[in-house]
mmCIF file of all heavy atoms in Angstrom:
data_model
loop_
_atom_site.group_PDB
_atom_site.id
_atom_site.type_symbol
_atom_site.label_atom_id
_atom_site.label_comp_id
_atom_site.label_asym_id
_atom_site.label_seq_id
_atom_site.Cartn_x
_atom_site.Cartn_y
_atom_site.Cartn_z
ATOM 1 N N LYS A 1 -9.634 -16.123 -0.056
ATOM 2 C CA LYS A 1 -10.300 -14.730 -0.241
ATOM 3 C C LYS A 1 -10.827 -14.188 1.064
ATOM 4 O O LYS A 1 -10.769 -13.051 1.286
ATOM 5 C CB LYS A 1 -11.471 -14.885 -1.278
ATOM 6 C CG LYS A 1 -10.992 -15.117 -2.733
ATOM 7 C CD LYS A 1 -12.137 -15.176 -3.714
ATOM 8 C CE LYS A 1 -12.828 -13.880 -3.905
ATOM 9 N NZ LYS A 1 -13.873 -13.973 -4.917
ATOM 10 N N ALA A 2 -11.302 -15.099 1.872
ATOM 11 C CA ALA A 2 -11.810 -14.671 3.150
ATOM 12 C C ALA A 2 -10.648 -14.252 4.128
ATOM 13 O O ALA A 2 -10.725 -13.309 4.898
ATOM 14 C CB ALA A 2 -12.650 -15.762 3.843
ATOM 15 N N LEU A 3 -9.496 -14.978 4.061
ATOM 16 C CA LEU A 3 -8.360 -14.750 4.921
ATOM 17 C C LEU A 3 -7.522 -13.531 4.465
ATOM 18 O O LEU A 3 -7.015 -12.784 5.280
ATOM 19 C CB LEU A 3 -7.489 -15.980 4.913
ATOM 20 C CG LEU A 3 -8.055 -17.212 5.672
ATOM 21 C CD1 LEU A 3 -7.102 -18.414 5.426
ATOM 22 C CD2 LEU A 3 -8.140 -16.968 7.119
ATOM 23 N N ILE A 4 -7.503 -13.310 3.125
ATOM 24 C CA ILE A 4 -6.750 -12.203 2.514
ATOM 25 C C ILE A 4 -7.728 -11.434 1.570
ATOM 26 O O ILE A 4 -7.575 -11.491 0.415
ATOM 27 C CB ILE A 4 -5.557 -12.679 1.774
ATOM 28 C CG1 ILE A 4 -4.716 -13.748 2.597
ATOM 29 C CG2 ILE A 4 -4.579 -11.519 1.546
ATOM 30 C CD1 ILE A 4 -3.618 -14.319 1.880
ATOM 31 N N PRO A 5 -8.616 -10.726 2.201
ATOM 32 C CA PRO A 5 -9.679 -10.137 1.312
ATOM 33 C C PRO A 5 -9.235 -9.143 0.243
ATOM 34 O O PRO A 5 -9.983 -8.931 -0.740
ATOM 35 C CB PRO A 5 -10.660 -9.364 2.337
ATOM 36 C CG PRO A 5 -9.811 -9.232 3.583
ATOM 37 C CD PRO A 5 -8.832 -10.379 3.591
ATOM 38 N N ASN A 6 -8.111 -8.462 0.517
ATOM 39 C CA ASN A 6 -7.591 -7.514 -0.467
ATOM 40 C C ASN A 6 -6.622 -8.014 -1.508
ATOM 41 O O ASN A 6 -6.117 -7.257 -2.313
ATOM 42 C CB ASN A 6 -6.956 -6.356 0.238
ATOM 43 C CG ASN A 6 -7.911 -5.484 1.059
ATOM 44 O OD1 ASN A 6 -8.992 -5.210 0.526
ATOM 45 N ND2 ASN A 6 -7.706 -5.192 2.304
ATOM 46 N N ALA A 7 -6.420 -9.347 -1.439
ATOM 47 C CA ALA A 7 -5.591 -9.978 -2.484
ATOM 48 C C ALA A 7 -6.387 -10.130 -3.834
ATOM 49 O O ALA A 7 -7.546 -10.393 -3.851
ATOM 50 C CB ALA A 7 -5.100 -11.331 -2.022
ATOM 51 N N GLN A 8 -5.663 -10.083 -4.956
ATOM 52 C CA GLN A 8 -6.290 -10.391 -6.235
ATOM 53 C C GLN A 8 -5.977 -11.800 -6.553
ATOM 54 O O GLN A 8 -4.808 -12.205 -6.763
ATOM 55 C CB GLN A 8 -5.632 -9.458 -7.315
ATOM 56 C CG GLN A 8 -5.756 -7.988 -7.068
ATOM 57 C CD GLN A 8 -5.010 -7.152 -8.001
ATOM 58 O OE1 GLN A 8 -4.428 -7.588 -8.871
ATOM 59 N NE2 GLN A 8 -5.008 -5.873 -7.860
ATOM 60 N N ILE A 9 -7.100 -12.604 -6.663
ATOM 61 C CA ILE A 9 -6.894 -14.076 -6.798
ATOM 62 C C ILE A 9 -7.371 -14.452 -8.161
ATOM 63 O O ILE A 9 -8.437 -14.096 -8.656
ATOM 64 C CB ILE A 9 -7.613 -14.898 -5.691
ATOM 65 C CG1 ILE A 9 -7.032 -14.469 -4.330
ATOM 66 C CG2 ILE A 9 -7.379 -16.410 -5.966
ATOM 67 C CD1 ILE A 9 -7.605 -15.266 -3.187
ATOM 68 N N PHE A 10 -6.566 -15.237 -8.932
ATOM 69 C CA PHE A 10 -6.835 -15.687 -10.264
ATOM 70 C C PHE A 10 -6.862 -17.204 -10.280
ATOM 71 O O PHE A 10 -6.303 -17.912 -9.454
ATOM 72 C CB PHE A 10 -5.785 -15.134 -11.202
ATOM 73 C CG PHE A 10 -5.813 -13.668 -11.447
ATOM 74 C CD1 PHE A 10 -5.336 -12.830 -10.507
ATOM 75 C CD2 PHE A 10 -6.317 -13.172 -12.641
ATOM 76 C CE1 PHE A 10 -5.403 -11.417 -10.726
ATOM 77 C CE2 PHE A 10 -6.419 -11.819 -12.856
ATOM 78 C CZ PHE A 10 -5.972 -10.964 -11.941
ATOM 79 N N SER A 11 -7.518 -17.727 -11.333
ATOM 80 C CA SER A 11 -7.559 -19.176 -11.611
ATOM 81 C C SER A 11 -7.371 -19.372 -13.140
ATOM 82 O O SER A 11 -7.498 -18.429 -13.966
ATOM 83 C CB SER A 11 -8.889 -19.752 -11.129
ATOM 84 O OG SER A 11 -9.972 -19.355 -11.924
ATOM 85 N N TRP A 12 -7.058 -20.634 -13.498
ATOM 86 C CA TRP A 12 -6.801 -20.988 -14.862
ATOM 87 C C TRP A 12 -8.012 -21.748 -15.422
ATOM 88 O O TRP A 12 -8.146 -22.918 -15.318
ATOM 89 C CB TRP A 12 -5.596 -21.829 -14.980
ATOM 90 C CG TRP A 12 -5.136 -22.113 -16.326
ATOM 91 C CD1 TRP A 12 -5.433 -21.483 -17.496
ATOM 92 C CD2 TRP A 12 -4.344 -23.232 -16.667
ATOM 93 N NE1 TRP A 12 -4.789 -22.102 -18.534
ATOM 94 C CE2 TRP A 12 -4.114 -23.169 -18.120
ATOM 95 C CE3 TRP A 12 -3.683 -24.309 -15.934
ATOM 96 C CZ2 TRP A 12 -3.362 -24.083 -18.840
ATOM 97 C CZ3 TRP A 12 -2.974 -25.279 -16.666
ATOM 98 C CH2 TRP A 12 -2.680 -25.181 -18.075
ATOM 99 N N LYS A 13 -9.076 -20.988 -15.943
ATOM 100 C CA LYS A 13 -10.212 -21.653 -16.480
ATOM 101 C C LYS A 13 -10.193 -21.692 -17.976
ATOM 102 O O LYS A 13 -10.732 -22.641 -18.587
ATOM 103 C CB LYS A 13 -11.495 -20.817 -16.027
ATOM 104 C CG LYS A 13 -11.821 -20.942 -14.507
ATOM 105 C CD LYS A 13 -13.123 -20.175 -14.197
ATOM 106 C CE LYS A 13 -13.396 -20.224 -12.711
ATOM 107 N NZ LYS A 13 -14.638 -19.532 -12.406
ATOM 108 N N ASN A 14 -9.658 -20.653 -18.585
ATOM 109 C CA ASN A 14 -9.713 -20.580 -20.076
ATOM 110 C C ASN A 14 -8.525 -21.379 -20.665
ATOM 111 O O ASN A 14 -7.490 -20.913 -21.094
ATOM 112 C CB ASN A 14 -9.551 -19.106 -20.480
ATOM 113 C CG ASN A 14 -10.779 -18.332 -19.998
ATOM 114 O OD1 ASN A 14 -11.835 -18.825 -19.764
ATOM 115 N ND2 ASN A 14 -10.463 -16.979 -19.781
ATOM 116 N N LYS A 15 -8.672 -22.675 -20.631
ATOM 117 C CA LYS A 15 -7.601 -23.635 -21.173
ATOM 118 C C LYS A 15 -7.867 -24.073 -22.633
ATOM 119 O O LYS A 15 -8.974 -24.344 -23.006
ATOM 120 C CB LYS A 15 -7.572 -24.831 -20.327
ATOM 121 C CG LYS A 15 -7.316 -24.579 -18.881
ATOM 122 C CD LYS A 15 -7.470 -25.847 -18.014
ATOM 123 C CE LYS A 15 -7.304 -25.565 -16.533
ATOM 124 N NZ LYS A 15 -7.535 -26.745 -15.706
ATOM 125 N N SER A 16 -6.870 -23.849 -23.456
ATOM 126 C CA SER A 16 -6.984 -24.351 -24.854
ATOM 127 C C SER A 16 -6.973 -25.868 -24.827
ATOM 128 O O SER A 16 -6.608 -26.486 -23.805
ATOM 129 C CB SER A 16 -5.854 -23.781 -25.704
ATOM 130 O OG SER A 16 -4.588 -24.246 -25.135
ATOM 131 N N SER A 17 -7.258 -26.449 -25.964
ATOM 132 C CA SER A 17 -7.438 -27.886 -26.014
ATOM 133 C C SER A 17 -6.129 -28.648 -25.672
ATOM 134 O O SER A 17 -6.205 -29.707 -25.053
ATOM 135 C CB SER A 17 -7.888 -28.336 -27.461
ATOM 136 O OG SER A 17 -6.913 -27.829 -28.384
ATOM 137 N N GLU A 18 -5.007 -28.049 -25.973
ATOM 138 C CA GLU A 18 -3.686 -28.659 -25.684
ATOM 139 C C GLU A 18 -3.465 -28.768 -24.141
ATOM 140 O O GLU A 18 -2.634 -29.629 -23.698
ATOM 141 C CB GLU A 18 -2.494 -28.021 -26.299
ATOM 142 C CG GLU A 18 -2.331 -26.585 -25.999
ATOM 143 C CD GLU A 18 -1.163 -25.882 -26.635
ATOM 144 O OE1 GLU A 18 -0.079 -26.524 -26.710
ATOM 145 O OE2 GLU A 18 -1.304 -24.757 -27.103
ATOM 146 N N PHE A 19 -4.124 -27.863 -23.413
ATOM 147 C CA PHE A 19 -4.025 -27.908 -21.941
ATOM 148 C C PHE A 19 -5.166 -28.318 -21.134
ATOM 149 O O PHE A 19 -5.330 -28.082 -19.976
ATOM 150 C CB PHE A 19 -3.577 -26.409 -21.472
ATOM 151 C CG PHE A 19 -2.239 -25.944 -21.983
ATOM 152 C CD1 PHE A 19 -2.137 -24.913 -22.854
ATOM 153 C CD2 PHE A 19 -1.061 -26.588 -21.569
ATOM 154 C CE1 PHE A 19 -0.898 -24.484 -23.357
ATOM 155 C CE2 PHE A 19 0.134 -26.152 -22.007
ATOM 156 C CZ PHE A 19 0.215 -25.057 -22.949
ATOM 157 N N SER A 20 -6.082 -28.946 -21.926
ATOM 158 C CA SER A 20 -7.346 -29.475 -21.153
ATOM 159 C C SER A 20 -6.976 -30.429 -20.080
ATOM 160 O O SER A 20 -5.969 -31.210 -20.220
ATOM 161 C CB SER A 20 -8.231 -30.171 -22.221
ATOM 162 O OG SER A 20 -7.642 -31.319 -22.736
ATOM 163 N N ASN A 21 -7.587 -30.311 -18.940
ATOM 164 C CA ASN A 21 -7.273 -31.084 -17.688
ATOM 165 C C ASN A 21 -5.920 -30.710 -17.129
ATOM 166 O O ASN A 21 -5.432 -31.418 -16.192
ATOM 167 C CB ASN A 21 -7.334 -32.611 -18.036
ATOM 168 C CG ASN A 21 -8.687 -33.024 -18.432
ATOM 169 O OD1 ASN A 21 -9.662 -32.618 -17.925
ATOM 170 N ND2 ASN A 21 -8.795 -33.851 -19.485
ATOM 171 N N GLY A 22 -5.331 -29.605 -17.560
ATOM 172 C CA GLY A 22 -4.064 -29.145 -16.948
ATOM 173 C C GLY A 22 -4.296 -28.522 -15.661
ATOM 174 O O GLY A 22 -5.448 -28.142 -15.333
ATOM 175 N N ARG A 23 -3.319 -28.407 -14.793
ATOM 176 C CA ARG A 23 -3.420 -27.898 -13.472
ATOM 177 C C ARG A 23 -2.390 -26.828 -13.248
ATOM 178 O O ARG A 23 -1.366 -26.722 -13.793
ATOM 179 C CB ARG A 23 -3.235 -28.966 -12.418
ATOM 180 C CG ARG A 23 -4.230 -30.166 -12.590
ATOM 181 C CD ARG A 23 -3.944 -31.307 -11.646
ATOM 182 N NE ARG A 23 -4.876 -32.388 -11.806
ATOM 183 C CZ ARG A 23 -4.869 -33.449 -11.030
ATOM 184 N NH1 ARG A 23 -3.994 -33.603 -10.111
ATOM 185 N NH2 ARG A 23 -5.763 -34.430 -11.337
ATOM 186 N N VAL A 24 -2.808 -25.971 -12.211
ATOM 187 C CA VAL A 24 -1.810 -24.929 -11.796
ATOM 188 C C VAL A 24 -0.901 -25.674 -10.811
ATOM 189 O O VAL A 24 -1.113 -25.755 -9.644
ATOM 190 C CB VAL A 24 -2.503 -23.806 -11.009
ATOM 191 C CG1 VAL A 24 -1.409 -22.741 -10.527
ATOM 192 C CG2 VAL A 24 -3.448 -23.070 -12.023
ATOM 193 N N HIS A 25 0.264 -26.064 -11.347
ATOM 194 C CA HIS A 25 1.179 -26.823 -10.479
ATOM 195 C C HIS A 25 2.464 -26.123 -10.123
ATOM 196 O O HIS A 25 3.281 -26.657 -9.343
ATOM 197 C CB HIS A 25 1.504 -28.144 -11.207
ATOM 198 C CG HIS A 25 1.621 -29.336 -10.294
ATOM 199 N ND1 HIS A 25 2.810 -29.886 -9.784
ATOM 200 C CD2 HIS A 25 0.623 -30.118 -9.707
ATOM 201 C CE1 HIS A 25 2.585 -30.890 -9.038
ATOM 202 N NE2 HIS A 25 1.244 -31.053 -8.935
ATOM 203 N N ALA A 26 2.651 -24.935 -10.591
ATOM 204 C CA ALA A 26 3.790 -24.133 -10.340
ATOM 205 C C ALA A 26 3.722 -23.561 -8.915
ATOM 206 O O ALA A 26 2.605 -23.168 -8.444
ATOM 207 C CB ALA A 26 3.948 -22.954 -11.355
ATOM 208 N N LYS A 27 4.836 -23.539 -8.159
ATOM 209 C CA LYS A 27 4.857 -22.875 -6.897
ATOM 210 C C LYS A 27 6.036 -21.825 -6.950
ATOM 211 O O LYS A 27 7.167 -22.140 -6.897
ATOM 212 C CB LYS A 27 5.239 -23.941 -5.757
ATOM 213 C CG LYS A 27 4.142 -25.043 -5.636
ATOM 214 C CD LYS A 27 4.459 -26.323 -6.396
ATOM 215 C CE LYS A 27 3.431 -27.348 -6.144
ATOM 216 N NZ LYS A 27 3.672 -28.568 -6.992
ATOM 217 N N VAL A 28 5.439 -20.604 -7.020
ATOM 218 C CA VAL A 28 6.430 -19.477 -7.237
ATOM 219 C C VAL A 28 5.986 -18.320 -6.522
ATOM 220 O O VAL A 28 4.706 -18.076 -6.324
ATOM 221 C CB VAL A 28 6.447 -19.090 -8.739
ATOM 222 C CG1 VAL A 28 7.294 -17.818 -8.884
ATOM 223 C CG2 VAL A 28 7.023 -20.207 -9.588
ATOM 224 N N ILE A 29 6.933 -17.499 -5.907
ATOM 225 C CA ILE A 29 6.553 -16.136 -5.370
ATOM 226 C C ILE A 29 7.594 -15.224 -5.924
ATOM 227 O O ILE A 29 8.770 -15.429 -5.933
ATOM 228 C CB ILE A 29 6.520 -16.206 -3.840
ATOM 229 C CG1 ILE A 29 6.190 -14.780 -3.320
ATOM 230 C CG2 ILE A 29 7.833 -16.657 -3.239
ATOM 231 C CD1 ILE A 29 5.851 -14.757 -1.834
ATOM 232 N N ILE A 30 7.041 -14.078 -6.452
ATOM 233 C CA ILE A 30 7.914 -13.036 -7.033
ATOM 234 C C ILE A 30 7.690 -11.731 -6.358
ATOM 235 O O ILE A 30 6.493 -11.316 -6.203
ATOM 236 C CB ILE A 30 7.587 -12.822 -8.500
ATOM 237 C CG1 ILE A 30 7.655 -14.240 -9.232
ATOM 238 C CG2 ILE A 30 8.703 -11.929 -9.230
ATOM 239 C CD1 ILE A 30 6.859 -14.201 -10.539
ATOM 240 N N ALA A 31 8.661 -11.072 -5.953
ATOM 241 C CA ALA A 31 8.511 -9.777 -5.217
ATOM 242 C C ALA A 31 9.201 -8.660 -6.001
ATOM 243 O O ALA A 31 10.426 -8.752 -6.345
ATOM 244 C CB ALA A 31 9.157 -9.833 -3.869
ATOM 245 N N ASP A 32 8.391 -7.659 -6.404
ATOM 246 C CA ASP A 32 8.949 -6.426 -6.977
ATOM 247 C C ASP A 32 9.727 -6.644 -8.240
ATOM 248 O O ASP A 32 10.617 -5.909 -8.638
ATOM 249 C CB ASP A 32 9.834 -5.604 -6.013
ATOM 250 C CG ASP A 32 9.034 -5.261 -4.758
ATOM 251 O OD1 ASP A 32 7.887 -4.938 -4.924
ATOM 252 O OD2 ASP A 32 9.680 -5.217 -3.665
ATOM 253 N N SER A 33 9.573 -7.793 -8.959
ATOM 254 C CA SER A 33 10.243 -8.100 -10.223
ATOM 255 C C SER A 33 11.705 -8.367 -9.994
ATOM 256 O O SER A 33 12.468 -8.442 -10.986
ATOM 257 C CB SER A 33 9.966 -7.061 -11.272
ATOM 258 O OG SER A 33 8.599 -7.101 -11.720
ATOM 259 N N ASN A 34 12.291 -8.431 -8.757
ATOM 260 C CA ASN A 34 13.682 -8.579 -8.612
ATOM 261 C C ASN A 34 14.086 -9.759 -7.731
ATOM 262 O O ASN A 34 15.251 -10.019 -7.504
ATOM 263 C CB ASN A 34 14.375 -7.271 -8.130
ATOM 264 C CG ASN A 34 13.870 -6.799 -6.719
ATOM 265 O OD1 ASN A 34 13.268 -7.618 -5.969
ATOM 266 N ND2 ASN A 34 13.931 -5.518 -6.470
ATOM 267 N N THR A 35 13.084 -10.422 -7.053
ATOM 268 C CA THR A 35 13.305 -11.531 -6.279
ATOM 269 C C THR A 35 12.252 -12.601 -6.581
ATOM 270 O O THR A 35 11.106 -12.349 -6.633
ATOM 271 C CB THR A 35 13.228 -11.216 -4.774
ATOM 272 O OG1 THR A 35 14.271 -10.212 -4.463
ATOM 273 C CG2 THR A 35 13.598 -12.423 -3.957
ATOM 274 N N CYS A 36 12.682 -13.859 -6.775
ATOM 275 C CA CYS A 36 11.659 -14.903 -6.929
ATOM 276 C C CYS A 36 12.187 -16.197 -6.226
ATOM 277 O O CYS A 36 13.351 -16.451 -6.140
ATOM 278 C CB CYS A 36 11.362 -15.188 -8.417
ATOM 279 S SG CYS A 36 12.679 -16.048 -9.257
ATOM 280 N N PHE A 37 11.127 -16.958 -5.659
ATOM 281 C CA PHE A 37 11.421 -18.201 -5.035
ATOM 282 C C PHE A 37 10.661 -19.244 -5.775
ATOM 283 O O PHE A 37 9.392 -19.214 -5.853
ATOM 284 C CB PHE A 37 10.880 -18.085 -3.670
ATOM 285 C CG PHE A 37 11.047 -19.260 -2.774
ATOM 286 C CD1 PHE A 37 12.124 -20.193 -2.889
ATOM 287 C CD2 PHE A 37 10.104 -19.634 -1.790
ATOM 288 C CE1 PHE A 37 12.266 -21.298 -2.157
ATOM 289 C CE2 PHE A 37 10.272 -20.732 -0.990
ATOM 290 C CZ PHE A 37 11.320 -21.610 -1.186
#
């Protein structure tokens, strides 16, 4: 947030019971809905 102050940063806090202790493990970047890595 300090390095990229204008970025919108989200986290996964609201986890249902089936995902308790789950982690954000996906590594993805999507640009303009037409390119993804």
Side-chain angles (χ1 to χ4, degrees):
K1 288 180 71 174
L3 290 171
I4 316 173
N6 292 313
Q8 303 173 359
I9 300 183
F10 289 76
S11 67
W12 185 25
K13 291 182 180 179
N14 300 329
K15 300 172 185 175
S16 60
S17 58
E18 63 179 315
F19 295 113
S20 61
N21 299 318
R23 302 176 180 182
V24 178
H25 218 258
K27 295 93 176 179
V28 173
I29 179 169
I30 310 157
D32 301 328
S33 293
N34 60 24
T35 302
C36 72
F37 179 33

